[in-house]
Amino acid sequence: MGISAGFMVPHPPLIIPDVGRGEEKKIQKTISAYQKAAEIIGRLQPETIVLLSPHQTLYADYFHISPGSGARGDFGQFHAGQVSMEVSYDTEFVRVLCEAAEAAGLQAGTLGERERRLDHGTMVPLYFVNQYWTKYRLVRIGLSGFPLTAHYRLGQCIRMAAQTLGRDTVVIASGDLSHKLKEDGPYGYQEEGPAYDARIMDVMGRGAFGELLEFSEDFCEKAAECGHRSFTILAGAFDRTAVEAEWLSYEGPFGVGYGVCTYRPCGDDGTRNFLEQYEEKERLRLLALREQEDPYVRLARYTIEVYVETGELPEMPQGLPEELYHSRAGAFVSLKEDGKLRGCIGTIQAVRGSLAEEIMNNAVSACSEDPRFSPVEAWEVERLTISVDVLGEREKISSLEELDVARYGVIVTRGGQARSAAAESGGRGYDRAADSHSEAEGGNQSP
């Protein structure tokens, strides 16, 4: 027993007849595919359905798993309150999953529920499933701001929990595709929109799950996709497993992409260890980058490595370039992990005795004090891409024509407060930036 099938499905509320009121006929391909997927679930009769929803409680640094014995919901916010449902949660599965996530070093659990009622990302798939099978218990999981690799790991934990309990389990990854397909659509058009949908349907249609990890954050953001993290968790649930993938449908008549695919396991396949393969490629890529790091970035990395391990700011190393010991300037230290920002703290003018001290202190702040992120953990350090931006003398400008934010950055003042955006070095390391028109004192900033 374990995971018997997986499904990639969208969640447009208008697909529900009481919501669509005729408009749902324009996505009949999606409806037909949904019904086929639900029929498969009806034949499998799973004990547990694990449903991954982008509209469940979401945190930047935590995977929320719905607590309690169950929940209910309806489509009242879409003017169809008469369409409702109630589910029972598989509390034992949730407990084992939380234990597996903790053992894997993932921040996941049942804390922080903000809304007990079922979200439409959950209810739309279950509307179809319930037509064919209702004797299941649900595990409802939200996404997070963690990198895609963490989502894949959560999928591995789902697989482990299903195997540990011997549960016949189905995984449903709820998520629309790009929201930027048409100029006259509700979200407008972006060229990355159709490009994302073509690429994701190719990947998911082939069951080439390893390629999910290679989508850049920037590309996904510009495409305004909804379900990529759901699909990546689904992929992790089939780690080291051969799958029979079937593309059932794709369409996007309203400017939002809807895709339906199904997956059936076909036995173990050690070559489909996609996370390990990706991380090895990343390790080699980061090693190559580290060999090119200049003394400024190496100093920041050394500081972070020591601080994360010991909790102490290290002694200033010997053998640095002389300007690091004797010059003073503001500096920003930026951290990225898997292409996603992981921390950024800096000073807009010197507040330390030397540039080396400025970089070291801001490196510590970037990895441990950026309020937008949890502190960097030891296992993450080698995965970090680090950049250091050293700010030159501030220069006032007399007109907007003189402003080049991409090259120099900018300091904006309001009353006694200053906010700055340093010019990014793109991982190149030392990149002198000249900020403009501010008389505010330097201090730690998180742009």
Side-chain angles (χ1 to χ4, degrees):
M1 305 291 274
I3 296 175
S4 57
F7 300 86
M8 165 192 175
V9 295
H11 50 240
L14 64 77
I15 204 172
I16 309 302
D18 290 76
V19 176
R21 300 177 184 180
E23 287 294 295
E24 73 277 4
K25 296 176 182 178
K26 296 178 181 178
I27 51 172
Q28 185 58 48
K29 290 180 181 178
T30 302
I31 293 173
S32 298
Y34 237 129
Q35 290 172 336
K36 183 174 181 179
E39 286 175 3
I40 293 171
I41 294 173
R43 291 197 298 270
L44 292 173
Q45 300 185 353
E47 299 171 82
T48 300
I49 293 178
V50 176
L51 202 148
L52 316 164
S53 172
H55 299 285
Q56 152 75 307
T57 298
L58 184 149
Y59 291 102
D61 57 356
Y62 189 73
F63 289 107
H64 180 75
I65 304 169
S66 289
S69 59
R72 70 175 309 278
D74 59 52
F75 287 92
Q77 69 179 108
F78 304 104
H79 311 291
Q82 70 275 17
V83 183
S84 63
M85 62 185 66
E86 187 167 356
V87 299
S88 296
Y89 290 143
D90 189 335
T91 56
E92 187 178 21
F93 195 111
V94 169
R95 176 183 60 79
V96 174
L97 175 58
C98 289
E99 292 172 353
E102 182 179 7
L106 291 174
Q107 298 295 318
T110 57
L111 302 177
E113 183 174 56
R114 294 197 297 261
E115 175 57 69
R116 178 171 294 273
R117 293 174 61 83
L118 300 176
D119 61 284
H120 74 273
T122 298
M123 290 190 293
V124 170
L126 294 185
Y127 173 85
F128 289 93
V129 171
N130 289 346
Q131 296 174 31
Y132 297 91
W133 179 244
T134 58
K135 297 179 181 180
Y136 61 85
R137 287 178 294 170
L138 187 69
V139 177
R140 179 173 163 236
I141 305 174
L143 313 181
S144 79
F146 286 131
L148 293 174
T149 50
H151 290 74
Y152 192 100
R153 286 193 179 90
L154 184 62
Q156 291 176 311
C157 294
I158 292 170
R159 169 185 169 89
M160 185 181 302
Q163 292 176 335
T164 299
L165 292 169
R167 287 278 201 279
D168 189 355
T169 303
V170 159
V171 180
I172 298 177
S174 175
D176 297 336
L177 307 186
S178 172
H179 288 61
K180 297 278 190 175
L181 299 182
K182 300 174 69 174
E183 290 285 1
D184 60 352
Y187 305 97
Y189 174 81
Q190 187 87 13
E191 64 179 356
E192 287 83 359
Y196 174 85
D197 279 16
R199 184 177 170 189
I200 194 68
M201 288 306 299
D202 173 60
V203 168
M204 297 302 285
R206 291 184 288 116
F209 294 147
E211 296 178 30
L212 287 169
L213 300 171
E214 298 173 2
F215 283 64
S216 72
E217 292 283 348
D218 181 64
F219 178 58
C220 290
E221 183 176 343
K222 287 180 178 178
E225 57 77 24
C226 170
H228 199 92
R229 283 170 164 73
S230 289
F231 310 151
T232 306
I233 297 174
L234 172 66
F238 285 100
D239 186 58
R240 299 173 185 269
T241 303
V243 297
E244 177 184 336
E246 184 177 4
W247 167 330
L248 296 185
S249 72
Y250 169 78
E251 57 187 340
F254 304 116
V256 179
Y258 307 132
V260 181
C261 294
T262 69
Y263 307 95
R264 298 295 301 275
C266 303
D268 296 337
D269 185 346
T271 68
R272 290 174 64 86
N273 57 333
F274 296 125
L275 181 60
E276 290 181 357
Q277 294 176 31
Y278 174 79
E279 291 188 327
E280 177 61 15
K281 285 195 297 184
E282 278 294 286
R283 186 185 69 82
L284 295 175
R285 184 184 70 84
L286 291 172
L287 280 175
L289 283 177
R290 289 184 68 165
E291 290 177 359
Q292 301 173 26
E293 289 177 349
D294 63 28
Y296 298 82
V297 175
R298 287 202 298 270
L299 176 61
R301 183 178 294 280
Y302 164 74
T303 303
I304 291 170
E305 289 173 344
V306 173
Y307 181 81
V308 171
E309 181 179 352
T310 68
E312 302 289 339
L313 180 71
E315 295 289 331
M316 188 182 300
Q318 301 297 312
L320 299 174
E322 286 300 311
E323 63 265 26
L324 279 167
Y325 296 118
H326 302 302
S327 64
R328 299 180 70 233
F332 275 77
V333 177
S334 302
L335 315 177
K336 288 186 176 181
E337 182 180 348
D338 291 342
K340 189 177 181 66
L341 186 67
R342 187 63 178 86
C344 180
I345 295 288
T347 43
I348 58 179
Q349 64 184 42
V351 296
R352 305 286 175 179
S354 69
L355 179 53
E357 292 178 78
E358 206 81 36
I359 292 172
M360 293 176 71
N361 280 272
N362 290 343
V364 167
S365 296
C367 77
S368 63
E369 298 177 8
D370 190 325
R372 298 166 294 181
F373 305 97
S374 59
V376 169
E377 297 184 37
W379 64 269
E380 297 178 273
V381 174
E382 68 174 6
R383 303 163 60 91
L384 296 177
T385 301
I386 302 173
S387 62
V388 175
D389 294 287
V390 179
L391 277 63
E393 293 298 321
R394 294 166 295 169
E395 300 175 8
K396 290 187 177 182
I397 60 172
S398 56
S399 68
L400 290 177
E401 286 70 28
E402 298 179 52
L403 182 61
D404 186 346
V405 177
R407 180 178 181 185
Y408 297 113
V410 63
I411 299 175
V412 180
T413 62
R414 180 180 181 183
Q417 296 183 327
R419 299 291 291 178
S420 75
E424 290 194 6
S425 63
R428 284 171 34 242
Y430 180 52
D431 183 28
R432 185 170 293 277
D435 285 337
S436 59
H437 62 278
S438 172
E439 301 300 325
E441 293 295 319
N444 279 359
Q445 306 286 323
S446 54

